[in-house]
Amino acid sequence: MTGRDDICIPPRLFTHEAEIIEVGEGLLACTLPRPRWTHEAHLAACLYLMLRRPEIALEAELPGIIRRYNVSVGTENTDTSGYHETITQFYIRAIRAFAATEQAASEADMLPLCNRLLASEMGERAYPLRFWSREALFSIPARHDWVEPDLARLPF
């Protein structure tokens, strides 16, 4: 999320489960082409890793995975670009809550689950802005560390 005017764009849904796997594994291997690292890919990768790679402790390991990937595609992790801690930890929490509600752990086909996530309110690009002001969410402290919401409590 960047706070640009593209937050109202409808989600780009996945057409095959293999695409979701490619995003998740491509993130891990740093082989995913940079143009494919979209908002939808971020959420799909998190869901994929959560459900299919449970050996990865997302809260602890995903920050390093994303930072490493960013460097591999030429994105610097700075005070104004690249990795964002609060947004990452927020979406890990949100997607865990979604998966628990959807009973995702027992669902064999990840495609409909992922597309339901993307089409839900949690999949909206502006979803975190229900809980944080732009100033708080896009601040340097929020980029580097978890910052508690300043507008509303998280529902999960």
Side-chain angles (χ1 to χ4, degrees):
M1 294 200 26
T2 61
R4 299 182 315 233
D5 293 331
D6 63 355
I7 60 175
C8 294
I9 296 171
R12 292 169 289 239
L13 302 179
F14 289 87
T15 56
H16 302 287
E17 186 168 327
E19 295 172 286
I20 299 166
I21 296 167
E22 289 170 11
V23 166
E25 292 298 326
L27 172 64
L28 292 174
C30 297
T31 57
L32 183 70
R34 185 178 182 178
R36 290 190 57 203
W37 190 228
T38 62
H39 171 74
E40 293 85 358
H42 279 73
L43 274 58
C46 185
L47 181 67
Y48 168 79
L49 295 172
M50 191 175 291
L51 298 179
R52 300 295 195 259
R53 298 294 300 269
E55 75 279 8
I56 297 172
L58 290 181
E59 291 81 357
E61 296 179 55
L62 191 55
I65 291 167
I66 293 172
R67 284 185 187 105
R68 187 181 72 232
Y69 171 78
N70 285 345
V71 169
S72 79
V73 296
T75 300
E76 293 184 41
N77 297 300
T78 69
D79 288 347
T80 57
S81 72
Y83 181 73
H84 194 296
E85 177 72 5
T86 299
I87 292 175
T88 298
Q89 295 300 329
F90 168 75
Y91 272 111
I92 291 171
R93 293 176 187 191
I95 293 169
R96 276 198 200 288
F98 176 84
T101 300
E102 294 286 319
Q103 300 176 343
S106 63
E107 187 159 345
D109 187 0
M110 195 178 330
L111 179 64
L113 177 67
C114 185
N115 284 339
R116 282 196 307 273
L117 170 64
L118 296 175
S120 76
E121 68 179 358
M122 286 184 188
E124 295 172 6
R125 288 168 178 80
Y127 185 57
L129 294 172
R130 295 179 184 195
F131 309 100
W132 285 271
S133 64
R134 284 188 180 279
E135 296 75 26
L137 187 60
F138 297 109
S139 68
I140 292 171
R143 184 171 287 282
H144 292 287
D145 297 297
W146 172 258
V147 170
E148 290 293 329
D150 64 336
L151 297 180
R153 289 184 57 174
L154 299 180
F156 36 80

